[in-house]
Amino acid sequence: MDATDFDGVLVIGAGLAGLSAALAAAPRRVRVLSPAPLGEACSSAWAQGGVAAALAPDDSPALHAADTLAAGAGLVDPDRAALLAAEGPSAVRRLANLGAPFDRVAGGGFRLSREAAHGRARVARVGGDRAGAAVMAAVIARVRASAHIEVLEGWSLRGLLQDTGGAVCGALVERDGEVSALRAAAVILATGGVGGLYAETTTPAALLGEGLAAAAVAGAVIADPEFVQFHPTALDIGRDPAPLVTEALRGDGARLVNAAGERFMAAFHPDAELAPRDIVARAIHAERLAGRGAFLDARDAVGAHFPEAFPTVFAACMSAGIDPRTAPIPVAPACHYHMGGILTDADGATTLPGLYAAGECASSGVHGANRLASNSLLEAAVFGARAGRAAARRTGSRRPLAKTGALPRLGRADLRRLRGAMSRDAGVVRDAAGLTRLVDLLDALGDRCGEAGPLVAARLVAECALARQESRGAHFRADHPLADAEARHTLVSLEAGRLSRKAA
Ligand code: SIN
């Protein structure tokens, strides 16, 4: 296949990480490939909570970094957390300068909310629960007005191009069923997470870990893929994807109750509704499994103000005939965020020359075993920009292309089967029997369909979850409920279709 040459940076994915990278790469030419029109099919635009940053007078980057470390259950890199927290305030101001209309207090400062596991009020929000959509609208407007950026909508990733030395030098991309090879000086993967691999997800269902899989197939090292965060409160109305019921509601005093109206969180953690996200998710999972149901009751805490305070959640509830001013909201955990991903350094460089990664598909070291609420938009803005600047400095490879082929697609029926199995066997509570059953299914599907991207991504989660015989952060093993004394990273790469462990 002939490859079209482009002496610039190819950004694959158009959420906040990808677009932050594209803006920061200026004046280098950038092509942004997005599978959908900008702002659609990306989790960033669906984020409700906001952007966490130490903006309050009683706060500091050191305190923010300390909360990030504590949430990550021993697997956050302290230097990266310090970097994220230090760059946080300027990242929020940069987004505000692009036009993101953050909520303000009298005098012009940011109105800040407190969310679970944050020791301070430090989440900058927009219109209650509209942070993601508003931030993305501002960033998209700037991207469209930037002469150095060309946006190509309707293109999806099918694989990476490598030269004869193993460096990544472009991508195989598909539009309307036709695959093309596009060479570039550097490639930044910003393809988002793996929510679509689960039957219950709060993210766009199109997110199937394609970037993660393409990087793994090319030989990049993947870090901690077993750590998948389940949001405790997805709206439980049988919709796919499930609408998110933001944690900010609990921050504002909404209570979790069962069908009998009894609060249950105090039995699980002294911080009750504001306990770390994984603990709340497991508590809700247990309450539902016991047949008692789980609901978020915002009638007293928010009540009549609901439509203005949380317009997105209000609209979702009302669309299902639930008025949250007068009735508790049915909730269930759902896949929300992938902490693991393509291993990067502080500038987004992966272990493969020419390949960078940012946002949810990357493992930048700041989320560990459990991401702190509202750190994801911040990480996308900070590390996306760092990746963009680093990639812009790269000179392209002049070596010839090595042999390359597009990853196979997974059919609808197989994807449906995979999603059900991932939710059941690699979900909130896992054990060896379920994970082994899941790996067997992946083997069977792989034998029939080849190593399609979703199967590769699911295998990374499942095999590494099976191998981690402890419970840590969002990874809970019913058969190994305690954490090991020492926190260890999982580092793996694919060799001849099999996962091979690397020294941590
Ligand atoms: C939420 O609004 O509850 C989600 C925020 C996040 O995932 O950080």
Side-chain angles (χ1 to χ4, degrees), residues 15-16 39 42-51 95 100-102 124-140 312 377:
L16 184 59
C42 71
S43 302
S44 305
W46 291 15
Q48 293 185 358
V51 190
L95 293 171
F102 288 104
R125 283 157 58 176
V126 180
D129 61 13
R130 300 201 57 259
V135 164
M136 284 301 289
V139 173
I140 288 169
T312 311
L377 287 181

Side-chain angles (χ1 to χ4, degrees), residues 48-49 115 231 244 246-248 277 336 371-376:
Q48 293 185 358
E115 287 184 1
H231 198 288
L244 183 65
T246 178
E247 185 157 308
R277 197 171 271 185
H336 184 61
R371 176 176 62 83
L372 187 64
S374 290
N375 262 0
S376 53

Side-chain angles (χ1 to χ4, degrees), residues 46-48 129 199-204 231-247 249 296 311-320 322 329-336:
W46 291 15
Q48 293 185 358
D129 61 13
E200 288 89 32
T201 179
T202 63
T203 76
H231 198 288
T233 58
L235 184 57
D236 186 20
I237 51 172
R239 214 168 273 172
D240 177 27
L244 183 65
V245 177
T246 178
E247 185 157 308
L249 272 155
L296 188 67
T312 311
V313 180
F314 185 73
C317 289
M318 294 301 278
S319 75
I322 300 158
I329 306 166
V331 290
C335 177
H336 184 61

